[in-house]
């Protein structure tokens, strides 16, 4: 009977069935077959949906949509170009930093490529060839997930039951390392290819800085709120008020009439996240009750007790998951199963979170089915094969950053340890 149910659920997934229906069905059937009461499903679902910090997900998501809808991308790109466009690789670094900023607020949902791709691609093509430009934009569409207030960071903190503020601080140094590795390559490539640069102009720099000052202040507002000890949900609410005032009243780049559509679009994404989160929590709760994590841990330890080899296997597994699943589903399904295994090998939960998110970040542009590859293919009307070839080098660079993040835990743990007294508690 169990084999027949498993075949049916697998066929449902292959045919494109919704992930929450698949997980919910598997959970209910599992409890029925085991002749256990279904009440734990409702308990697990309510525990997540009624979580005290769940409100920050819709607030930060809506803020990201408001920023993307306004002309903030143009202002930030103009300022970045005036600031570092004269440096070797300056234009490429502009794209990396600007895309990271937007991915932080929108998640790796493809919004960054859609919102910024049409703007930065012509700028890149003035200096770089097609493959480099496409590869850079596609890779930039997922970097930024490790910077606050990234929704995947928040989601991991809730699932792993660690302080959200701690996860915010843990991602800063690894995020900077990822940007530094990619930026170093871009600068070196520009010097080797003798790429053109833009001339620095003080009047242009001052003008673009003045135009983009409100967007530049936004990360400072968020981190300042965390440092001052304000509750994270209050920081999220202030962020929404701030971006609405900036985009509607100061820049007037969007109108009040646009807000209902932005609320609708952003809440569709939030609704999908919450449904998957609740159902997947019930599913993983069922697996934990069956003792699946302990069985997997015993199976791994039967092969090796070496932490280094285990981390290599973990990275390979997560890269495959990141290629096949969206990041929200991957976090809520995989993380509860990984935590007992990681603890068995002495891996800190905070460090594990950064490893997980870095892998899933890379998975978005990993062939053959990384989501960003298809979004870029549609956005720029290019063949998917060309996108495969364009991102391979950038994947290699990101893997270098992944190795550093994986095997140097202090990159993730040092800043939270130093600032431990000011992190925002989860509960």
């Amino acid at each position: 009977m169990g084999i027949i149910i498993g075949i049916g659920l697998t066929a449902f997934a292959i045919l494109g069935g919704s992930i929450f229906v698949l997980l919910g069905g598997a959970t209910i059937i599992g409890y029925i077959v085991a002749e256990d009461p279904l009440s734990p499903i409702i308990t697990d679902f309510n525990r997540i949906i009624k979580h005290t910090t769940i409100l920050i997900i819709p607030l930060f998501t809506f803020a990201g949509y408001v920023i993307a809808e306004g002309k903030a991308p143009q202002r930030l790109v103009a300022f970045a170009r005036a600031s570092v466009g004269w440096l070797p690789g300056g234009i490429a670094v502009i794209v990396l930093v600007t895309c990271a900023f937007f991915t932080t607020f929108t998640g790796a949902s493809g919004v960054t490529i859609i919102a910024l791709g049409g703007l930065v691609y012509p700028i890149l093509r003035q200096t770089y060839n097609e493959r480099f430009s496409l590869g850079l934009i596609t890779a930039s569409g997922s970097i930024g997930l490790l910077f606050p207030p990234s929704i995947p960071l928040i989601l991991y903190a809730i699932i792993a039951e660690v302080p959200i503020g701690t996860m915010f601080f843990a991602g800063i140094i690894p995020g900077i390392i990822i940007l530094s590795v990619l930026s170093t390559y871009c600068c070196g490539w520009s010097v080797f290819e003798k790429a053109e640069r833009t001339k620095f102009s003080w009047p242009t720099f001052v003008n673009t800085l003045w135009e983009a000052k409100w967007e530049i202040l936004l990360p400072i507002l968020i981190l300042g709120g965390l440092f001052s000890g304000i509750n994270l949900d209050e920081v999220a609410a202030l962020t929404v008020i701030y971006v609405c005032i900036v985009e509607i009243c100061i820049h007037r780049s969007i109108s009040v009439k646009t807000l209902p559509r932005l609320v609708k679009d952003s809440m569709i994404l939030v609704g999908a996240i919450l449904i998957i989160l609740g159902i997947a929590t019930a599913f993983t709760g069922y697996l934990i009750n069956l003792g699946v994590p302990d069985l997997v841990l015993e199976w791994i330890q039967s092969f090796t007790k070496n932490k280094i080899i285990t981390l290599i296997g973990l990275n390979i597994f997560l890269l495959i998951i990141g290629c096949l699943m969206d990041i929200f589903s991957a976090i809520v399904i995989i993380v509860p199963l990984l935590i007992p295994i990681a603890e068995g090998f002495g891996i800190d939960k905070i460090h594990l979170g950064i490893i997980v998110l870095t892998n899933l970040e890379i998975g978005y542009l990993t062939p053959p089915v990384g989501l960003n590859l298809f979004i870029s293919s549609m956005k720029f009307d290019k063949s998917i094969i060309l996108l495969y070839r364009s991102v391979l080098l950038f994947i290699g660079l990101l893997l270098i950053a992944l190795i550093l993040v994986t095997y140097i835990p202090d990159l993730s743990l040092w800043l939270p340890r130093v600032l431990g007294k000011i992190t925002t508690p989860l509960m």
Side-chain angles (χ1 to χ4, degrees), residues 343-355:
E343 290 177 340
F345 284 91
I347 302 170
D348 188 278
K349 285 199 293 187
I350 296 170
H351 181 215
L352 174 67
I354 302 304
I355 294 173

PDB file of all heavy atoms in Angstrom, residues 343-355:
ATOM      1  N   GLU A 343      23.964  18.804  13.979  1.00  0.00           N
ATOM      2  CA  GLU A 343      24.329  18.790  15.390  1.00  0.00           C
ATOM      3  C   GLU A 343      25.110  17.527  15.747  1.00  0.00           C
ATOM      4  O   GLU A 343      25.993  17.554  16.604  1.00  0.00           O
ATOM      5  CB  GLU A 343      23.070  18.904  16.254  1.00  0.00           C
ATOM      6  CG  GLU A 343      22.416  20.281  16.173  1.00  0.00           C
ATOM      7  CD  GLU A 343      21.136  20.363  16.975  1.00  0.00           C
ATOM      8  OE1 GLU A 343      20.548  19.300  17.279  1.00  0.00           O
ATOM      9  OE2 GLU A 343      20.714  21.492  17.296  1.00  0.00           O
ATOM     10  N   GLY A 344      24.795  16.406  15.065  1.00  0.00           N
ATOM     11  CA  GLY A 344      25.532  15.177  15.297  1.00  0.00           C
ATOM     12  C   GLY A 344      26.991  15.279  14.902  1.00  0.00           C
ATOM     13  O   GLY A 344      27.838  14.550  15.435  1.00  0.00           O
ATOM     14  N   PHE A 345      27.288  16.190  13.970  1.00  0.00           N
ATOM     15  CA  PHE A 345      28.673  16.391  13.534  1.00  0.00           C
ATOM     16  C   PHE A 345      29.268  17.684  14.102  1.00  0.00           C
ATOM     17  O   PHE A 345      30.328  18.122  13.668  1.00  0.00           O
ATOM     18  CB  PHE A 345      28.744  16.435  12.002  1.00  0.00           C
ATOM     19  CG  PHE A 345      28.636  15.077  11.358  1.00  0.00           C
ATOM     20  CD1 PHE A 345      27.405  14.564  10.994  1.00  0.00           C
ATOM     21  CD2 PHE A 345      29.764  14.304  11.133  1.00  0.00           C
ATOM     22  CE1 PHE A 345      27.289  13.312  10.399  1.00  0.00           C
ATOM     23  CE2 PHE A 345      29.667  13.049  10.557  1.00  0.00           C
ATOM     24  CZ  PHE A 345      28.425  12.549  10.186  1.00  0.00           C
ATOM     25  N   GLY A 346      28.557  18.302  15.051  1.00  0.00           N
ATOM     26  CA  GLY A 346      29.086  19.489  15.714  1.00  0.00           C
ATOM     27  C   GLY A 346      29.039  20.744  14.869  1.00  0.00           C
ATOM     28  O   GLY A 346      29.855  21.658  15.065  1.00  0.00           O
ATOM     29  N   ILE A 347      28.098  20.837  13.941  1.00  0.00           N
ATOM     30  CA  ILE A 347      27.959  22.022  13.093  1.00  0.00           C
ATOM     31  C   ILE A 347      26.936  22.956  13.721  1.00  0.00           C
ATOM     32  O   ILE A 347      25.797  22.558  13.980  1.00  0.00           O
ATOM     33  CB  ILE A 347      27.515  21.634  11.664  1.00  0.00           C
ATOM     34  CG1 ILE A 347      28.533  20.671  11.045  1.00  0.00           C
ATOM     35  CG2 ILE A 347      27.358  22.871  10.791  1.00  0.00           C
ATOM     36  CD1 ILE A 347      28.067  20.053   9.742  1.00  0.00           C
ATOM     37  N   ASP A 348      27.323  24.194  13.986  1.00  0.00           N
ATOM     38  CA  ASP A 348      26.426  25.167  14.599  1.00  0.00           C
ATOM     39  C   ASP A 348      25.223  25.453  13.692  1.00  0.00           C
ATOM     40  O   ASP A 348      25.359  25.531  12.475  1.00  0.00           O
ATOM     41  CB  ASP A 348      27.195  26.469  14.871  1.00  0.00           C
ATOM     42  CG  ASP A 348      26.391  27.456  15.683  1.00  0.00           C
ATOM     43  OD1 ASP A 348      25.569  28.168  15.082  1.00  0.00           O
ATOM     44  OD2 ASP A 348      26.562  27.494  16.913  1.00  0.00           O
ATOM     45  N   LYS A 349      24.033  25.639  14.289  1.00  0.00           N
ATOM     46  CA  LYS A 349      22.831  25.883  13.496  1.00  0.00           C
ATOM     47  C   LYS A 349      22.908  27.187  12.709  1.00  0.00           C
ATOM     48  O   LYS A 349      22.372  27.278  11.603  1.00  0.00           O
ATOM     49  CB  LYS A 349      21.592  25.918  14.405  1.00  0.00           C
ATOM     50  CG  LYS A 349      21.141  24.558  14.890  1.00  0.00           C
ATOM     51  CD  LYS A 349      19.709  24.586  15.379  1.00  0.00           C
ATOM     52  CE  LYS A 349      19.544  25.406  16.623  1.00  0.00           C
ATOM     53  NZ  LYS A 349      18.171  25.286  17.185  1.00  0.00           N
ATOM     54  N   ILE A 350      23.561  28.186  13.272  1.00  0.00           N
ATOM     55  CA  ILE A 350      23.693  29.466  12.566  1.00  0.00           C
ATOM     56  C   ILE A 350      24.600  29.294  11.355  1.00  0.00           C
ATOM     57  O   ILE A 350      24.292  29.751  10.246  1.00  0.00           O
ATOM     58  CB  ILE A 350      24.240  30.539  13.521  1.00  0.00           C
ATOM     59  CG1 ILE A 350      23.241  30.784  14.652  1.00  0.00           C
ATOM     60  CG2 ILE A 350      24.521  31.839  12.769  1.00  0.00           C
ATOM     61  CD1 ILE A 350      23.775  31.648  15.762  1.00  0.00           C
ATOM     62  N   HIS A 351      25.731  28.617  11.554  1.00  0.00           N
ATOM     63  CA  HIS A 351      26.646  28.331  10.452  1.00  0.00           C
ATOM     64  C   HIS A 351      25.956  27.472   9.400  1.00  0.00           C
ATOM     65  O   HIS A 351      26.097  27.708   8.187  1.00  0.00           O
ATOM     66  CB  HIS A 351      27.894  27.622  10.993  1.00  0.00           C
ATOM     67  CG  HIS A 351      28.913  27.307   9.954  1.00  0.00           C
ATOM     68  ND1 HIS A 351      29.693  26.170   9.985  1.00  0.00           N
ATOM     69  CD2 HIS A 351      29.267  27.973   8.824  1.00  0.00           C
ATOM     70  CE1 HIS A 351      30.485  26.156   8.943  1.00  0.00           C
ATOM     71  NE2 HIS A 351      30.257  27.224   8.215  1.00  0.00           N
ATOM     72  N   LEU A 352      25.186  26.482   9.834  1.00  0.00           N
ATOM     73  CA  LEU A 352      24.436  25.641   8.899  1.00  0.00           C
ATOM     74  C   LEU A 352      23.503  26.481   8.037  1.00  0.00           C
ATOM     75  O   LEU A 352      23.377  26.245   6.829  1.00  0.00           O
ATOM     76  CB  LEU A 352      23.632  24.590   9.677  1.00  0.00           C
ATOM     77  CG  LEU A 352      22.683  23.714   8.838  1.00  0.00           C
ATOM     78  CD1 LEU A 352      23.472  22.805   7.899  1.00  0.00           C
ATOM     79  CD2 LEU A 352      21.768  22.886   9.744  1.00  0.00           C
ATOM     80  N   GLY A 353      22.849  27.461   8.655  1.00  0.00           N
ATOM     81  CA  GLY A 353      21.931  28.310   7.899  1.00  0.00           C
ATOM     82  C   GLY A 353      22.618  29.048   6.768  1.00  0.00           C
ATOM     83  O   GLY A 353      22.082  29.144   5.653  1.00  0.00           O
ATOM     84  N   ILE A 354      23.797  29.574   7.025  1.00  0.00           N
ATOM     85  CA  ILE A 354      24.532  30.293   5.975  1.00  0.00           C
ATOM     86  C   ILE A 354      24.976  29.330   4.880  1.00  0.00           C
ATOM     87  O   ILE A 354      24.932  29.662   3.688  1.00  0.00           O
ATOM     88  CB  ILE A 354      25.745  31.030   6.584  1.00  0.00           C
ATOM     89  CG1 ILE A 354      25.282  32.002   7.678  1.00  0.00           C
ATOM     90  CG2 ILE A 354      26.503  31.784   5.502  1.00  0.00           C
ATOM     91  CD1 ILE A 354      24.252  33.005   7.224  1.00  0.00           C
ATOM     92  N   ILE A 355      25.387  28.120   5.260  1.00  0.00           N
ATOM     93  CA  ILE A 355      25.752  27.110   4.262  1.00  0.00           C
ATOM     94  C   ILE A 355      24.546  26.771   3.392  1.00  0.00           C
ATOM     95  O   ILE A 355      24.645  26.706   2.156  1.00  0.00           O
ATOM     96  CB  ILE A 355      26.288  25.835   4.957  1.00  0.00           C
ATOM     97  CG1 ILE A 355      27.612  26.114   5.667  1.00  0.00           C
ATOM     98  CG2 ILE A 355      26.475  24.709   3.939  1.00  0.00           C
ATOM     99  CD1 ILE A 355      28.109  24.939   6.506  1.00  0.00           C
TER     100      ILE A 355
END
